Amino acid sequence: MKVAVIGGGWAGIGAAIELAGAGVETTLFEAGRSLGGRARSITVDGHRLDNGQHILLGAYREILEVMRRIGADPEQLLERRPLQVVDDAGFRMALPKWPAPLNFAWGLLTAHGVGWREKFATARWMQGVKAHGFRLAIDTTVAEWLDGAGQTGELRRHLWEPLCLAAINIPAERASAQVFANVLRDSLGSAQREDTDLLMPRVTLGQLLPEPATRWLAANGSTLRLGHRVANLAPLPHGIAVDGEIHDAAIVATAPQHASQLWPALAAEFDYEPIVTVYLQFAAKTRLAFPLHKQSGKYGQWVVDRGRGLLACVLSGHGAWEALGEAELVAALVAELALPTPPTWHKVICERRATFACHPNLARPDHRTPDPRILRAGDYTWAEYPATLEGAVRSGRRAAHALLGNDYNPTS
Ligand SMILES: Cc1cc2nc3c(=O)[nH]c(=O)nc-3n(C[C@H](O)[C@H](O)[C@H](O)COP(=O)(O)OP(=O)(O)OC[C@H]3O[C@@H](n4cnc5c(N)ncnc54)[C@H](O)[C@@H]3O)c2cc1C
């Protein structure tokens, strides 16, 4: 079988590795000069950075499996730490290295900045949600879900709403409660303690997966067409023409707005949300007490310690920051951080279509299309999750397995 994978983001990478590993003649077409898509490395003023700060969770099992398979050792490339949510308003929840669910229970009960009554009410609520398998009777917004559960206190402000914004990239007032519940099921609610861990990249995003995948695919007989934007996809009786080249099948692993340009039957309508990453270089000895810190000022949401004084401030979704110019935004974030010395360098990177907007009851297509020889992959097709690296990789692997005629069962 000869298969074209169109789009070399994490979904296309997942698909191509699965196909090449099964001995399929695979060609991966990527419009950019390197693999990675929305999660790639870039060079700015001599600094090797990511196009946007990314956080991975222990629950990202398929990514970890793919990394191991291609010789990118997650233990070396990712720093695994039990989850802590710490903010500058006095809230702190730190999970111990105990078996689940004791780790979350203990973290919740010992959280700073929350009263006992609220802690017990939340523990009871989580038990109930778990007892229902994290399935909600109807999908609604996260805000309405929390209101209905009486989650209106400090934990909502310091835990649930920031986690929702970080995971789904839209505020609780607009985010799908069912998708948020799915994220909780596979992270804080998981029976495996490791799933609740934070995985902080020690290297750039490119070094985690796209660069090792480029080497592995080339070494395993795949053809990589970097810098090739496919303009034409045509299902013909004797095969699928990809810019005139005949393949037996194709996996379209582009973002949704590009998929429909290739073949109208792939049209899927979404709204999109931005993510801004503001890199600030401080003196090399500058450290955060914990590498992921929740900010509670007007603009900053999360700040990540990238080591050697480089901090990455992340602003998810539409918000007040959009009214500011670049210099004003940098000044506002620096003021909120209130570090003793000013930064010596900064870079603002805005990804305007970082994620699709994961509203309640959003219609999400899966891998199937009207032509069984053409499959779809991409974060938007993995309906269990919001736009995530893990959803992207799972979607790519699922599409590849569908072509190979296998069932696909993710490891969690
Ligand atoms: C700033 C930012 C921060 C994020 N933070 C997180 C995070 O912390 N954790 C997390 O899990 N997720 C995060 N995400 C989401 C995550 O990056 C995405 O869900 C994931 O990268 C999507 O991968 P994908 O392969 O589905 O799509 P994409 O990455 O969009 O890949 C599609 C690829 O197709 C290529 N392409 C398009 N058209 C063509 C064509 N005609 N021919 C050839 N190639 C084509 C594109 O160049 C692109 O490389 C973040 C995203 C951004 C932007």
Side-chain angles (χ1 to χ4, degrees):
M1 191 160 52
K2 186 178 171 196
V3 177
V5 177
I6 304 171
W10 289 48
I13 292 172
I17 290 173
E18 213 58 28
L19 292 170
V24 172
E25 191 182 333
T26 306
T27 304
L28 176 55
F29 294 88
E30 167 51 44
R33 276 174 299 163
S34 57
L35 300 185
R38 274 172 281 159
R40 65 185 188 283
S41 302
I42 54 171
T43 303
V44 183
D45 300 341
H47 296 256
R48 198 71 183 139
L49 301 171
D50 299 330
N51 67 310
Q53 177 62 46
H54 281 62
I55 309 281
L56 289 81
L57 296 176
Y60 285 12
R61 294 182 185 198
E62 297 287 284
I63 290 180
L64 300 178
E65 188 180 308
V66 173
M67 287 175 69
R68 283 190 200 100
R69 178 170 187 180
I70 62 171
D73 182 2
E75 307 308 318
Q76 283 189 16
L77 302 176
L78 295 162
E79 185 183 356
R80 183 179 275 277
R81 288 180 179 245
L83 178 71
Q84 282 193 35
V85 180
V86 189
D87 72 20
D88 43 17
F91 178 80
R92 178 164 181 268
M93 187 185 85
L95 304 198
K97 265 192 174 179
W98 294 357
L102 280 181
N103 62 338
F104 178 58
W106 183 258
L108 184 62
L109 294 179
T110 55
H112 293 252
V114 191
W116 282 105
R117 190 188 293 260
E118 189 180 343
K119 287 177 184 176
F120 282 118
T122 299
R124 265 200 312 278
W125 172 61
M126 276 299 273
Q127 269 312 108
V129 173
K130 207 174 206 173
H132 286 95
F134 291 86
R135 295 302 314 168
L136 311 190
I138 49 157
D139 196 5
T140 175
T141 65
V142 170
E144 283 166 348
W145 186 42
L146 295 174
D147 285 342
Q151 290 290 309
T152 53
E154 297 301 313
L155 285 165
R156 178 187 186 132
R157 207 150 58 83
H158 296 288
L159 184 67
W160 303 128
E161 289 183 347
L163 286 186
C164 170
L165 195 54
I168 307 202
N169 199 31
I170 38 177
E173 288 69 29
R174 294 189 286 123
S176 159
Q178 183 58 67
V179 173
F180 186 53
N182 297 345
V183 172
L184 294 178
R185 176 196 66 208
D186 292 348
S187 54
L188 285 180
S190 167
Q192 306 291 322
R193 184 199 70 76
E194 291 74 15
D195 290 347
T196 62
D197 287 342
L198 272 179
L199 304 179
M200 308 292 295
R202 288 196 174 105
V203 292
T204 61
L205 282 173
Q207 289 169 291
L208 279 187
L209 187 70
E211 290 164 22
T214 305
R215 292 190 291 274
W216 188 91
L217 286 168
N220 283 272
S222 302
T223 305
L224 288 166
R225 299 267 176 82
L226 300 177
H228 184 144
R229 178 175 291 279
V230 173
N232 209 285
L233 175 76
L236 303 173
H238 57 289
I240 307 295
V242 177
D243 283 349
E245 199 180 314
I246 299 297
H247 293 77
D248 297 308
I251 294 177
V252 179
T254 68
Q257 69 272 20
H258 297 133
S260 55
Q261 292 167 7
L262 286 169
W263 191 39
L266 296 175
E269 283 297 313
F270 292 102
D271 297 328
Y272 295 90
E273 294 283 329
I275 298 182
V276 179
T277 304
V278 179
Y279 288 103
L280 300 169
Q281 180 66 60
F282 291 92
K285 62 178 188 322
T286 306
R287 299 297 307 264
L288 299 181
F290 187 75
L292 179 67
H293 188 89
K294 164 84 186 66
Q295 292 179 279
S296 45
K298 182 170 175 195
Y299 298 103
Q301 295 168 0
W302 295 91
V303 55
V304 177
D305 189 340
R306 298 296 308 241
R308 291 191 285 279
L310 184 65
L311 302 186
C313 299
V314 182
L315 285 72
S316 292
H318 291 292
W321 60 269
E322 286 167 301
L324 301 184
E326 210 174 286
E328 289 169 305
L329 177 60
V330 170
L333 291 171
V334 169
E336 286 180 3
L337 282 167
L339 291 168
T341 53
T344 53
W345 177 86
H346 69 260
K347 178 71 192 170
V348 179
I349 300 177
C350 179
E351 288 275 355
R352 294 251 159 234
R353 289 187 169 198
T355 66
F356 61 87
C358 194
H359 301 308
N361 300 305
L362 185 66
R364 310 256 303 261
D366 69 10
H367 56 295
R368 290 165 297 187
T369 76
D371 188 319
R373 299 166 302 169
I374 301 178
L375 288 101
R376 223 191 298 240
D379 57 3
Y380 68 104
T381 68
W382 191 264
E384 285 283 291
Y385 288 168
T388 55
L389 298 170
E390 177 72 3
V393 167
R394 288 182 181 208
S395 76
R397 298 186 96 190
R398 175 178 62 184
H401 279 280
L403 277 184
L404 296 168
N406 303 332
D407 285 340
Y408 170 61
N409 295 308
T411 39
S412 63

